Amino acid sequence: YGALANKAFQNNPPGSCFKIMSEVVADMNGITCLYDEGTWEVDGATIVNWDHDTGWYPVEERTLYSAFVNSSNIFFAKAFDQIGADKAISDLESVFHCLSPIYCDFGPMENNFEIFSNDDLRRSAFGQSNVRTCPIYLAALGREAVFGDMVKPFVVHSIVDTNDPNSEVFPGTAPYDWIASIPVDYRQNLLDGMSGVGGNLGMYVPENYRFYAKTGTAETGGEDILYITGVLQNVNDGSFNEAVWSDYSEYNGSYVIVMQLQNPNAFEFNFASESVALYQGLINTVVG
């Protein structure tokens, strides 16, 4: 409990990693180009982009691809504002299983998503306000983004008799329990965006792998939380369709790597893009 709890299952604001879902929801509702002023004042509140003071604004015609790669809060806030709460919530649930519990072998996994005002709706589009999720869900989300389908996260291969580890009492979660899918027509635009983010991070990716990613900087009222949700796709791995259990000792397929950094000030990081050296170390450890 507390500081000793498994942080992979603890909910926190996801920041701009939520835009993986917002991109698809915007695309499904036909919102692919918007005016982006960098600082948007609406209903007495102010929403800003991370680079609002760089002198690059306004962007008269911000495309969906540009909004995703450059992580525009305003684009997605305006998109959700136009779509409305009911439709946004419906799409998030049907495409990403975002709002109802996911019953895994380690227990239920539940995201927090609450809308009390129009400002909540706008800020939820970039993973703030009353939105909370955990790294395990982000891993499932990254998998869905690259391969099109979300599968139920699983940890346990089987439950065995404590007195006889070779005797199975209950089976674990089926490794390919499909629970959500991105409509086929909206997959490539998201892939293009995540490829653009991955390329901009400047990671070294091993031969025969493609790298897709989204970064996120979540404001918590205290110290920010930084994320990189990334997928290393083996070029020969078109899907995860083969339901084969193994000890992974000779595994050479695709990987989903989520890094959550809860103490960025200790590293003097302000944005997730500054933490790429740490993430590179994870890639080297996992794939090297």
Side-chain angles (χ1 to χ4, degrees), residues 105 143 147 149-156 172-181 237-246 248 251 253-256:
D105 53 20
R143 189 256 186 239
F147 291 96
D149 303 295
M150 180 180 285
V151 298
K152 183 181 294 185
F154 66 99
V155 175
V156 178
T173 303
Y176 296 94
D177 187 355
W178 312 104
I179 58 174
S181 295
D237 189 1
S239 69
F240 285 138
N241 287 330
E242 295 184 14
V244 179
W245 288 97
S246 78
Y248 298 105
Y251 180 77
S254 300
Y255 299 87
V256 183

Side-chain angles (χ1 to χ4, degrees), residues 87-184:
K87 186 63 166 61
I89 288 171
S90 174
D91 289 347
L92 288 168
E93 173 62 13
S94 64
V95 178
F96 298 106
H97 207 304
C98 181
L99 306 178
S100 57
I102 300 174
Y103 294 98
C104 305
D105 53 20
F106 51 82
M109 182 171 61
E110 297 184 70
N111 296 321
N112 302 101
F113 189 91
E114 298 176 298
I115 302 295
F116 299 107
S117 67
N118 289 332
D119 188 58
D120 287 340
L121 174 63
R122 299 177 192 116
R123 294 180 190 276
S124 70
F126 51 94
Q128 296 290 165
S129 194
N130 302 308
V131 178
R132 303 288 186 274
T133 190
C134 66
I136 287 291
Y137 180 80
L138 292 179
L141 178 62
R143 189 256 186 239
E144 182 181 11
V146 173
F147 291 96
D149 303 295
M150 180 180 285
V151 298
K152 183 181 294 185
F154 66 99
V155 175
V156 178
H157 180 185
S158 60
I159 300 171
V160 300
D161 189 324
T162 55
N163 297 315
D164 180 6
N166 295 313
S167 174
E168 181 180 86
V169 179
F170 300 105
T173 303
Y176 296 94
D177 187 355
W178 312 104
I179 58 174
S181 295
I182 299 173
V184 173

Side-chain angles (χ1 to χ4, degrees), residues 169-202:
V169 179
F170 300 105
T173 303
Y176 296 94
D177 187 355
W178 312 104
I179 58 174
S181 295
I182 299 173
V184 173
D185 290 346
Y186 306 105
R187 295 182 182 184
Q188 190 59 52
N189 285 345
L190 177 60
L191 271 180
D192 291 344
M194 293 187 70
S195 178
V197 173
N200 288 344
L201 289 175

Side-chain angles (χ1 to χ4, degrees), residues 180-226:
S181 295
I182 299 173
V184 173
D185 290 346
Y186 306 105
R187 295 182 182 184
Q188 190 59 52
N189 285 345
L190 177 60
L191 271 180
D192 291 344
M194 293 187 70
S195 178
V197 173
N200 288 344
L201 289 175
M203 300 287 185
Y204 167 75
V205 177
E207 187 178 0
N208 294 325
Y209 282 93
R210 303 185 187 98
F211 183 53
Y212 301 92
K214 186 67 187 84
T215 58
T217 302
E219 299 175 356
T220 66
E223 193 168 14
D224 291 347
I225 299 175
L226 308 185

Side-chain angles (χ1 to χ4, degrees), residues 24 46 50 204 210:
V24 174
T46 302
W50 66 274
Y204 167 75
R210 303 185 187 98

